[in-house]
Amino acid sequence: KAGVTQTPRYLIKTRGQQVTLSCSPISGHRSVSWYQQTPGQGLQFLFEYFSETQRNKGNFPGRFSGRQFSNSRSEMNVSTLELGDSALYLCASTTGGRDTQYFGPGTRLTVL
Amino acid sequence: AQSVTQLDSHVSVSEGTPVLLRCNYSSSYSPSLFWYVQHPNKGLQLLLKYTSAATLVKGINGFEAEFKKSETSFHLTKPSAHMSDAAEYFCVVTAFYNQGGKLIFGQGTELSVKP
């Protein structure tokens, strides 16, 4: 089975711009979660989508949003980028129950 | 609320010596616990998971962890370190009992392996 894929792998943006990241889960997985990883804050949960609905949400401002499509692929959008949004963004997929989450390689976002 | 605490931010061992990475958890129910490893500039790879079937859990690459409810601990061990084990390790707990979609991460332990 193919693993979780994320595109693009690297992005450079400037403050005030917006960005969209994409995540394709493992085939058959209906849950996609997004995490932000920074040196100062570690790994923090952004949100989870399950069957096209946001099921859980972390403590991030409204500039961070996401969606999930009928094929379970998910996108994450960050509007009005700030320098502090520079991070590795990881997505993970699972079947939706208590099964293991499998992570993608991440998208490295740099905001200048 | 669920939480995990990794007791060491950095551990350094010599190649061939044992590895011990410590993790304590807090949970209001029987938790699902995981150890993930992250090599530089890579995503997270699952090492092992505990889901109440057995308290001693064996993972990949010779790692294992023991779930101790009385001590609320889930320490990761390996009998003999290899240079390729140098990476960051995360102890993780699920936020909800019946869902795996939200994970709570410890702050990570960086493992260095000296030749």
Side-chain angles (χ1 to χ4, degrees):
Chain A
K1 248 184 195 178
V4 178
T5 58
Q6 292 186 245
T7 57
R9 293 292 311 279
Y10 301 91
L11 266 178
I12 299 176
K13 294 285 186 179
T14 56
R15 278 182 299 172
Q17 287 186 309
Q18 75 165 20
V19 68
T20 299
L21 313 182
S22 180
C23 173
S24 293
I26 291 171
S27 177
H29 286 188
R30 296 165 63 192
S31 165
V32 174
S33 296
W34 290 88
Y35 297 84
Q36 181 196 64
Q37 185 176 24
T38 59
Q41 299 298 317
L43 276 147
Q44 295 185 285
F45 173 78
L46 281 154
F47 31 65
E48 179 205 6
Y49 285 86
F50 178 75
S51 293
E52 301 180 64
T53 301
Q54 188 180 87
R55 183 160 72 169
N56 292 296
K57 189 178 188 305
N59 189 27
F60 279 80
R63 300 185 297 108
F64 292 82
S65 63
R67 59 178 175 168
Q68 187 179 35
F69 302 95
S70 59
N71 61 358
S72 293
R73 188 178 70 87
S74 177
E75 287 183 346
M76 188 191 108
N77 185 275
V78 188
S79 62
T80 319
L81 284 166
E82 301 177 359
L83 295 179
D85 297 334
S86 294
L88 181 66
Y89 290 89
L90 293 161
C91 84
S93 75
T94 184
T95 56
R98 293 187 80 184
D99 292 335
T100 302
Q101 280 198 37
Y102 294 92
F103 283 80
T107 295
R108 172 76 63 185
L109 172 64
T110 302
V111 182
L112 303 176
Chain B
Q2 315 297 95
S3 68
V4 288
T5 302
Q6 293 183 243
L7 301 176
D8 307 291
S9 59
H10 186 252
V11 169
S12 182
V13 301
S14 297
E15 191 173 22
T17 64
V19 175
L20 170 63
L21 305 183
R22 300 181 294 164
C23 172
N24 287 349
Y25 71 91
S26 173
S27 177
S28 54
Y29 54 79
S30 182
S32 290
L33 290 160
F34 308 81
W35 277 97
Y36 282 87
V37 61
Q38 186 177 35
H39 288 92
N41 300 312
K42 296 288 175 80
L44 294 160
Q45 180 184 19
L46 178 71
L47 276 178
L48 50 82
K49 68 175 180 179
Y50 166 78
T51 55
S52 78
T55 56
L56 184 62
V57 183
K58 293 189 183 300
I60 62 171
N61 301 333
F63 285 95
E64 63 181 37
E66 187 171 8
F67 175 76
K68 290 187 177 180
K69 187 175 180 180
S70 60
E71 299 175 11
T72 62
S73 69
F74 190 57
H75 301 335
L76 181 70
T77 60
K78 182 174 181 178
S80 176
H82 191 273
M83 295 296 291
S84 61
D85 295 329
E88 187 146 24
Y89 292 77
F90 295 94
C91 182
V92 182
V93 66
T94 50
F96 305 111
Y97 175 73
N98 60 348
Q99 298 173 16
K102 178 178 178 180
L103 299 179
I104 297 170
F105 285 79
Q107 283 301 103
T109 298
E110 186 179 354
L111 175 65
S112 301
V113 182
K114 298 174 288 186

